[in-house]
Amino acid sequence: MKKIFILILSVCMALAMCVPIFSLNADMVNISYDGKILYEEKPWLVGGATYVPFREFFANMTNSTIRWDAESRTATAEGSGLIVSAKMDDPYLIANGRYLYTGNKNLVVNGTMYVPVRPVAKAIGASVVWNGSERLASLQNKGAYIEPGSTYYEENDVYWLARIIHAESNGEPLLGKIAVGNVVLNRVRSNQYPNTIKEVIFDDKFGVQFSPVANGTIYNTPSAESVVAAKICLDGYSMNDDILFFLNVKTAASLWIVDNCTYVMKIGNHSFYA
């Protein structure tokens, strides 16, 4: 009986990894690269995002070696000057150490990893133009592979942005962490605040801006997800370019933000305002 149970469990797990593409309300689309149609029967439009098969895309476009780690459910493509990994259900890819957020989860369908086309195009240095009438995503080669994170990210920026994200939103979902990072970067770009991440965090022109600066939690070691959120923000992903404030309405010592600013959205326990 135990053997039969294990066999049934194994079959169920295998079926879970083999979700029929039609169950995702997917539609077939075409991909072109420098004018040539590719993968005519493979790409799909799922939830408004064009997905391509990870293995076939990188094997053909970059001549990379593809690996699959069953334990972590991660596909990795490695070639000359390029390493890209995609973990099942993650809403981002890691390309040469860069965190490219899409908001669309990586999918495993019928044993094949599918990923959104825009981040993989960015990884190989290509632009993407969508033609809805022809249901065609056109990729154009722009040259070099994506710049490595080791040279793209400023170490000091990652250090401080990850710490304020962790101190303010540890326990919040990834999107909530990203939104906190967006607030800091929006302030950096605003002429109302200092022009570096560290200076924004420690700004006290009108009093301490972030409570972790006052209570010392700004110096706590950030979680891995907080570092990921910081890098996603620094790689240009923004949920909203106008948000400059956030608070937990239930625990806030002051509701000045609620009374004087424009409400934009709520993620987890935080409400965000412009």
Side-chain angles (χ1 to χ4, degrees):
M1 180 63 71
K2 183 177 181 181
K3 290 183 178 179
I4 294 175
F5 173 77
I6 292 174
L7 176 60
I8 293 173
L9 179 61
S10 298
V11 171
C12 291
M13 290 177 67
L15 289 174
M17 294 290 286
C18 299
V19 179
I21 194 73
F22 59 77
S23 70
L24 301 173
N25 296 318
D27 296 311
M28 194 172 73
V29 296
N30 286 328
I31 300 286
S32 72
Y33 184 70
D34 286 345
K36 180 182 178 181
I37 297 292
L38 306 171
Y39 320 123
E40 291 188 23
E41 297 182 0
K42 291 294 184 70
W44 296 89
L45 188 67
V46 182
T50 299
Y51 279 78
V52 294
F54 183 95
R55 176 181 294 276
E56 193 169 356
F57 182 91
F58 284 104
N60 291 340
M61 304 291 279
T62 67
N63 197 29
S64 295
T65 299
I66 314 299
R67 301 190 308 274
W68 170 254
D69 186 320
E71 183 176 354
S72 65
R73 299 181 299 177
T74 301
T76 301
E78 185 169 358
S80 178
L82 183 68
I83 301 178
V84 181
S85 64
K87 183 177 180 180
M88 180 179 171
D89 290 337
D90 272 355
Y92 57 85
L93 301 180
I94 306 173
N96 282 353
R98 301 269 294 277
Y99 285 75
L100 309 181
Y101 186 84
T102 67
N104 301 105
K105 292 181 179 181
N106 305 319
L107 305 173
V108 174
V109 182
N110 296 333
T112 297
M113 170 73 81
Y114 284 83
V115 293
V117 71
R118 290 188 181 276
V120 295
K122 184 173 181 178
I124 67 171
S127 62
V128 181
V129 176
W130 170 250
N131 186 323
S133 61
E134 297 182 10
R135 304 186 69 77
L136 174 67
S138 300
L139 278 64
Q140 294 292 327
N141 184 9
K142 294 171 63 179
Y145 293 153
I146 191 170
E147 179 185 351
S150 58
T151 56
Y152 179 83
Y153 298 124
E154 290 287 343
E155 184 177 349
N156 201 49
D157 287 346
V158 175
Y159 180 95
W160 287 113
L161 190 58
R163 275 161 174 72
I164 191 63
I165 288 173
H166 178 76
E168 288 282 12
S169 58
N170 187 34
E172 295 295 311
L174 178 61
L175 275 180
K177 291 179 172 68
I178 292 171
V180 168
N182 290 159
V183 166
V184 174
L185 293 182
N186 288 345
R187 289 191 177 196
V188 170
R189 288 186 287 267
S190 170
N191 58 15
Q192 302 176 54
Y193 298 93
N195 57 10
T196 71
I197 291 172
K198 182 179 180 181
E199 288 175 329
V200 162
I201 292 171
F202 289 93
D203 180 24
D204 61 359
K205 183 177 180 181
F206 299 106
V208 175
Q209 297 292 303
F210 298 98
S211 58
V213 172
N215 62 32
T217 56
I218 185 63
Y219 299 104
N220 291 351
T221 301
S223 65
E225 187 172 73
S226 294
V227 175
V228 168
K231 290 182 176 180
I232 286 171
C233 293
L234 292 169
D235 231 298
Y237 182 78
S238 176
M239 297 187 63
N240 186 284
D241 292 337
D242 298 320
I243 53 175
L244 293 171
F245 309 92
F246 64 91
L247 81 164
N248 183 332
V249 176
K250 294 180 180 179
T251 62
S254 168
L255 295 181
W256 180 91
I257 293 173
V258 176
D259 295 334
N260 293 276
C261 302
T262 303
Y263 173 82
V264 176
M265 60 188 177
K266 187 175 189 294
I267 304 174
N269 292 307
H270 283 147
S271 296
F272 294 83
Y273 292 77

